[in-house]
Amino acid sequence: MAEHEQVREHVRVAVVGSGFGGLGAAVRLRREGITDFVVLERADSVGGTWRDNSYPGCACDVPSHLYSFSFAPNPDWPRTFSGQRHIRAYLEHVADTFGLRPHIRFDSEVKRMAWDAERLCWDIETASGNLSADVVVSATGPLSDPKVPDIPGLDSFPGKVFHSARWDHDYDLAGKRVAMIGTGASAIQIVPSIQPQVSRLTLFQRTPAWVMPRMDRAISGVERALHRALPVTTQLRRGLLWGIRELQVQAFTKHPEELGFVERIAKRNMARAIKDPALRAKLTPDYRIGCKRILLSSEYYPALARPNVDVVASGLGEVRGSTLVAADGSEAEVDAIIFGTGFHVTDMPIAERVVGADGRTLAESWKGGMEALRGASAAGFPNWMTIIGPNTGLGNSSMILMIESQLNYMADYLRQLNVLGGRVALDARPAAVQGWNHRVQERMKRTVWNTGGCTSWYLDASGRNTTIWPGTTAEFRRATRNVNLAEYEVLRAPADRKTVAGGAAGENAEAVA
């Protein structure tokens, strides 16, 4: 038998990624009694985006007690909005507490995975070896692959260039002339963190952001002691934070006009720090607040008002040696360029490595736009599920809530496979996927993300919002509580094909919550 034909390792479930989604999936698998699984991680430690993003000032814009697993509460969060270091430590703690280390394979980037229709399993090629799995749970996350724009002349820039998610801690910014490209969630944390040490900071702003005050504070020792002694107080705190955000959803999804009050708060936040009318005009958005992600900072505007900061109200257009030329023709001489230009969200690179039942990649299948049944299952990709899939993102609350809902769906998916018995797989019916996506997109039409007058990373190349969930987290939890077999085709191995397949497409299909 040839070496490549030898029996390779096989597992029940292969999880890809060890951020919140991957570690959450691993914990849920163990709680379901499934121990025959691996977690494939491309790096040498867990943490996902909270491992990769270690730039100065990196922190979460969701309150700590809501940005953590419900099954792994942390009574010792040091601040109401925790920093990257503490969130990463929390994920390491989860990996240790739930005994996940033996399942995790580091330095095992997935190069390719292909569906074997005869064996009803996925063949997976990784940087550390090959294996197969009955089920794949893709938890690579949308904020994992940095996006750097194609700028003419960038390759010839003589200075330092890096993305915020690949921060070069060996490069000393002190006394340097630095360009910050972008004004998103990372940039507004980086700018005030590096402004005091650089000689000159030039911010290239393609579109101004709405920035609300960041109500951050240290959590007192008394509060933490209370949470440790009475865990119910942690649950109450989390519940209150959740409830407030659920009440806000209507304004984002049905009544964007109600967000005018929030705009006034944001403008006051700006006016307190920015006294120069010309600078204030540059920084004032011309779209409805909420259309892009609302950013939180009480230090961003004061930093922009400092004398060593220039705001260029235009995107970077060209690089000529060490001179950066904006789209409006203005120029700046710099020693270093930092890109805070986001990630490949609607064109995730992992999609190019997943080959489905018909030989097409997921990227080819999603060429017209990402879509997945209940944000989890793509038609033509049996026994493949994604965590934080299409239209599962949030604009105002914690993604951990959505992840846990998808873990509920994953758990029931695996239970259904067990009930069906034998060598079996589930493939989302195209009609069910299209029906779900149609209902989501219909609801999206009146949301602030579609009507607010901006172009955001929520939208794909064709202008369709394939990123955000247009409802409450409670609605999504109801929609993903159980797998409806009528929405799937049941596939069986040759020896088991006498078994009757699932119901007709769309039969008893649960509507979008």
Side-chain angles (χ1 to χ4, degrees):
M1 181 182 290
E3 184 179 348
H4 69 277
E5 293 175 335
Q6 291 178 4
V7 176
R8 67 177 65 187
E9 178 190 12
H10 182 81
V11 294
R12 177 63 170 158
V13 182
V15 179
V16 186
S18 68
F20 268 100
L23 294 182
V27 171
R28 190 57 185 268
L29 289 171
R30 288 186 63 94
R31 294 176 74 181
E32 292 292 318
I34 298 172
T35 56
D36 183 19
F37 70 90
V38 294
V39 178
L40 303 172
E41 170 55 54
R42 68 183 177 185
D44 59 2
S45 59
V46 303
T49 194
W50 293 106
R51 175 201 59 236
D52 296 342
N53 287 269
S54 59
Y55 58 79
C58 183
C60 190
D61 60 2
V62 175
S64 305
H65 288 89
L66 194 59
Y67 198 78
S68 46
F69 290 120
S70 62
F71 54 78
N74 179 16
D76 289 312
W77 287 116
R79 303 194 65 84
T80 51
F81 292 90
S82 288
Q84 175 263 347
R85 180 169 61 91
H86 293 106
I87 297 173
R88 183 178 180 183
Y90 170 78
L91 290 171
E92 295 278 2
H93 174 73
V94 168
D96 291 330
T97 300
F98 291 92
L100 304 181
R101 300 281 180 190
H103 299 277
I104 302 173
R105 300 194 181 169
F106 295 115
D107 302 309
S108 297
E109 181 176 8
V110 171
K111 301 295 186 181
R112 186 177 187 268
M113 61 175 73
W115 176 250
D116 187 320
E118 288 299 313
R119 293 163 52 230
L120 293 188
C121 67
W122 286 94
D123 288 325
I124 307 169
E125 300 174 15
T126 82
S128 64
N130 301 336
L131 70 156
S132 60
D134 294 332
V135 178
V136 168
V137 178
S138 180
T140 57
L143 306 183
S144 57
D145 291 283
K147 178 187 289 185
V148 176
D150 185 14
I151 306 294
L154 181 61
D155 290 344
S156 64
F157 179 70
K160 191 70 178 178
V161 179
F162 54 88
H163 190 279
S164 59
R166 300 292 184 267
W167 195 270
D168 188 339
H169 291 277
D170 294 328
Y171 183 76
D172 187 4
L173 290 172
K176 301 292 196 307
R177 300 166 300 175
V178 179
M180 182 77 226
I181 314 301
T183 51
S186 299
I188 71 154
Q189 295 178 345
I190 293 170
V191 166
S193 299
I194 67 173
Q195 174 271 319
Q197 56 181 301
V198 303
S199 66
R200 188 121 217 115
L201 179 60
T202 304
L203 177 68
F204 286 80
Q205 170 193 269
R206 189 173 58 180
T207 309
W210 285 106
V211 182
M212 295 284 286
R214 182 180 176 85
M215 309 303 289
D216 187 28
R217 66 172 178 83
I219 297 176
S220 69
V222 172
E223 289 174 89
R224 284 181 276 168
L226 179 63
H227 291 330
R228 283 193 299 270
L230 295 173
V232 68
T233 61
T234 307
Q235 296 172 8
L236 289 171
R237 186 173 192 156
R238 179 185 176 90
L240 179 62
L241 292 168
W242 169 77
I244 291 171
R245 280 153 182 77
E246 290 290 274
L247 291 173
Q248 297 170 349
V249 172
Q250 289 262 15
F252 286 86
T253 60
K254 296 180 180 179
H255 306 289
E257 69 280 357
E258 295 177 358
L259 292 166
F261 169 71
V262 186
E263 284 184 9
R264 290 193 290 274
I265 296 175
K267 286 180 178 178
R268 283 200 296 270
N269 183 42
M270 184 197 303
R272 278 194 293 267
I274 307 297
K275 305 303 180 184
D276 177 8
L279 180 56
R280 197 182 302 172
K282 285 183 182 180
L283 298 172
T284 302
D286 61 358
Y287 55 87
R288 174 65 76 190
I289 194 169
C291 184
K292 289 175 177 281
R293 188 172 182 89
I294 300 174
L295 307 182
L296 303 181
S297 178
S298 298
E299 293 82 35
Y300 178 62
Y301 288 136
L304 296 185
R306 302 299 297 170
N308 68 330
V309 178
D310 294 315
V311 177
V312 178
S314 179
L316 176 59
E318 183 184 357
V319 177
R320 299 175 189 159
S322 60
T323 302
L324 272 57
V325 184
D328 65 2
S330 57
E331 299 182 356
E333 290 281 329
V334 302
D335 304 306
I337 302 173
I338 302 171
F339 283 98
T341 45
F343 300 84
H344 289 277
V345 175
T346 59
D347 57 344
M348 293 186 290
I350 187 68
E352 297 173 358
R353 307 179 186 188
V354 183
V355 182
D358 61 359
R360 289 195 305 163
T361 65
L362 186 61
E364 290 170 330
S365 177
W366 281 350
K367 194 171 183 180
M370 298 190 301
E371 55 182 27
L373 178 62
R374 302 179 191 272
S377 301
F381 297 82
N383 281 10
W384 183 91
M385 305 185 70
T386 181
I387 307 295
I388 314 184
N391 291 112
T392 61
L394 296 175
N396 74 311
S397 193
S398 172
M399 279 306 301
I400 314 306
L401 301 169
M402 302 296 278
I403 288 172
E404 290 197 28
S405 292
Q406 291 198 289
L407 297 182
N408 290 341
Y409 195 73
M410 175 198 76
D412 196 55
Y413 190 104
L414 291 165
R415 289 188 212 114
Q416 296 292 345
L417 291 178
N418 288 339
V419 169
L420 289 167
R423 299 290 297 167
V424 65
L426 296 176
D427 187 7
R429 295 180 181 274
V433 176
Q434 292 162 12
W436 168 265
N437 189 63
H438 174 74
R439 294 190 291 273
V440 167
Q441 293 302 325
E442 281 299 304
R443 289 186 61 175
M444 196 69 71
K445 287 180 178 178
R446 58 180 176 176
T447 68
V448 69
W449 307 298
N450 279 38
T451 65
C454 73
T455 300
S456 73
W457 58 265
Y458 299 151
L459 308 180
D460 64 17
S462 63
R464 192 172 63 161
N465 192 327
T466 57
T467 306
I468 297 293
W469 168 247
T472 65
T473 62
E475 286 178 293
F476 189 74
R477 179 150 295 199
R478 287 193 297 271
T480 53
R481 183 174 292 127
N482 302 110
V483 168
N484 182 355
L485 283 181
E487 296 180 329
Y488 289 87
E489 180 183 356
V490 179
L491 308 177
R492 290 196 174 274
D496 297 326
R497 284 179 181 163
K498 293 181 181 179
T499 306
V500 178
E507 282 184 12
N508 304 315
E510 180 184 345
V512 177

